[in-house]
Amino acid sequence: MKLLRFGPAGFERPGLLDDDGFIRDLGSVVSDIQASTLSRAGLDMLRSVVPSSLPRADDSVRLGPPVADVRHFIAVGLNYTDHAIETDTPIPDQPVIFSKAPSCIVGPHDDVQMPPACTTLDWEAEVAVVIGEHAFELAEEEALSAVAGYMICHDVSDRDSQIHRGGQWIKGKSSPSFGPLGPWLVTADEILDPQTLNLWLTVNGVVRQSGSTAKMIFPFTHLISYISKFMALEPGDVITTGTPHGVGLGMKPPVFLKPGDVVELGADGLGRQRQNVVLRQPRTVGV
């Protein structure tokens, strides 16, 4: 299944994409695509629904992030050898784990809002995994049993805040709109081997990234098992698994996003995203 959420930001409805590419409204079946929906039992129930029996949504409707109420947005850094090399960073011997604030999550086609003082806005195409079952101290051979599905993540990054402002990378990874997800969550049964997915990204039509999850340093099984040794993963948690080479920081000289740029990205079987980069307006006192 391809599960999604559609409608105005903050008022999304649950839906699914049928075999003909039409959006079907799941609002009469579940209240949202959230923790209870993503369990094995919840997904089995949704598979019993006949898509043609559901109301069809307008084709032009806005798509929101596919999962509601994400509590943990966990990210993996430097998980492709070629990306570590292009950023002059040692290849890690253990996964580099950091967080993105869930408040940065937006829909797959929403604008990327560039902070007014930012001059180092960068792109990162990634494949994210969504947890569907409680997972703590999992062995690698158990790891994929906890997965509800996969989706595209654009790990938008302010490199100056990430690298030069001290402390953790979360500073450069969490501004509002820095986490476009979707367009849909593809359930795990439709992805026969997540380690064979090609992913790509273009800026203004120019290919910047082209890679494959086959080249990940730490595969999905290892990442989920490893992270579950340090925290209990819960349904609805999102883990985005790193980006291949081709980021702006790695170019000689570096090239960064600016207002007016258009970023498109996609992955095999997971759909595609498109965002316009806009300058975020400074906040007014009291707003």
Side-chain angles (χ1 to χ4, degrees), residues 4-6 12-16 24-27 30-33:
L4 53 85
R5 299 170 67 247
F6 66 94
E12 292 92 348
R13 294 180 60 80
L16 60 78
R24 299 287 180 167
D25 190 335
L26 275 171
V30 291
S31 60
D32 212 336
I33 307 300

Side-chain angles (χ1 to χ4, degrees), residues 25 32 54 57 69 71 81 92 125 141 234 278 283:
D25 190 335
D32 212 336
L54 301 171
D69 303 324
R71 297 193 311 161
T81 301
E141 57 268 25
E234 299 291 349
V278 301
R283 289 190 64 219

Side-chain angles (χ1 to χ4, degrees), residues 83 86-88 122 159 246-256:
H83 175 55
E86 74 174 344
T87 56
D88 295 321
D122 208 347
R159 299 300 188 191
V247 300
L249 179 66
M251 299 177 69
K252 309 298 183 188
V255 174
F256 296 112

Side-chain angles (χ1 to χ4, degrees), residues 12 19 34 61 64 78 83 88 104 113 133 155-156 172 184 193 201 207 214 219 224 228 235 248 269 282 286-287:
E12 292 92 348
D19 291 340
Q34 55 192 359
V61 72
L78 305 172
H83 175 55
D88 295 321
C104 80
Q113 300 178 36
E133 301 287 335
D155 180 17
V156 182
W184 35 73
D193 185 356
L201 180 145
V207 176
I224 296 166
S228 79
V287 177

Side-chain angles (χ1 to χ4, degrees), residues 149-217:
Y150 303 87
M151 61 184 170
I152 300 167
C153 171
H154 186 185
D155 180 17
V156 182
S157 307
D158 174 2
R159 299 300 188 191
D160 181 64
S161 295
Q162 175 189 355
I163 298 169
H164 302 298
R165 299 294 295 274
Q168 301 295 312
W169 287 4
I170 190 172
K171 291 181 179 180
K173 299 283 191 171
S174 296
S175 188
S177 80
F178 276 23
L181 297 178
W184 35 73
L185 170 67
V186 181
T187 52
D189 58 300
E190 293 199 4
I191 304 297
L192 298 180
D193 185 356
Q195 295 302 158
T196 61
L197 302 178
N198 297 308
L199 60 163
W200 56 270
L201 180 145
T202 67
V203 179
N204 301 326
V206 178
V207 176
R208 294 302 189 189
Q209 291 187 278
S210 179
S212 170
T213 57
K215 296 185 177 180
M216 287 166 56
I217 298 171

Side-chain angles (χ1 to χ4, degrees), residues 34-256:
Q34 55 192 359
S36 58
T37 315
L38 298 170
S39 67
R40 282 188 285 271
L43 294 178
D44 285 344
M45 183 272 292
L46 290 181
R47 289 189 187 96
S48 70
V49 176
V50 178
S52 60
S53 69
L54 301 171
R56 181 177 159 185
D58 191 304
D59 293 338
S60 64
V61 72
R62 169 190 173 270
L63 293 178
V67 179
D69 303 324
V70 174
R71 297 193 311 161
H72 294 126
F73 191 1
I74 303 161
V76 180
L78 305 172
N79 197 30
Y80 290 74
T81 301
D82 49 10
H83 175 55
I85 291 172
E86 74 174 344
T87 56
D88 295 321
T89 308
I91 296 171
D93 58 5
Q94 295 190 55
V96 176
I97 306 299
F98 62 96
S99 289
K100 290 173 72 76
S103 58
C104 80
I105 294 173
V106 293
H109 309 309
D110 292 341
D111 292 341
V112 168
Q113 300 178 36
M114 182 174 179
C118 176
T119 58
T120 57
L121 192 68
D122 208 347
W123 57 83
E124 293 192 16
E126 307 195 2
V127 174
V129 60
V130 179
I131 300 299
E133 301 287 335
H134 174 85
F136 183 58
E137 296 184 339
L138 289 184
E140 288 193 28
E141 57 268 25
E142 302 174 295
L144 294 186
S145 68
V147 173
Y150 303 87
M151 61 184 170
I152 300 167
C153 171
H154 186 185
D155 180 17
V156 182
S157 307
D158 174 2
R159 299 300 188 191
D160 181 64
S161 295
Q162 175 189 355
I163 298 169
H164 302 298
R165 299 294 295 274
Q168 301 295 312
W169 287 4
I170 190 172
K171 291 181 179 180
K173 299 283 191 171
S174 296
S175 188
S177 80
F178 276 23
L181 297 178
W184 35 73
L185 170 67
V186 181
T187 52
D189 58 300
E190 293 199 4
I191 304 297
L192 298 180
D193 185 356
Q195 295 302 158
T196 61
L197 302 178
N198 297 308
L199 60 163
W200 56 270
L201 180 145
T202 67
V203 179
N204 301 326
V206 178
V207 176
R208 294 302 189 189
Q209 291 187 278
S210 179
S212 170
T213 57
K215 296 185 177 180
M216 287 166 56
I217 298 171
F218 304 105
F220 290 96
T221 51
H222 184 81
L223 291 175
I224 296 166
S225 173
Y226 181 88
I227 295 169
S228 79
K229 300 296 194 296
F230 300 96
M231 66 188 77
L233 297 170
E234 299 291 349
D237 287 354
V238 175
I239 302 171
T240 188
T241 58
T243 198
H245 76 286
V247 300
L249 179 66
M251 299 177 69
K252 309 298 183 188
V255 174
F256 296 112

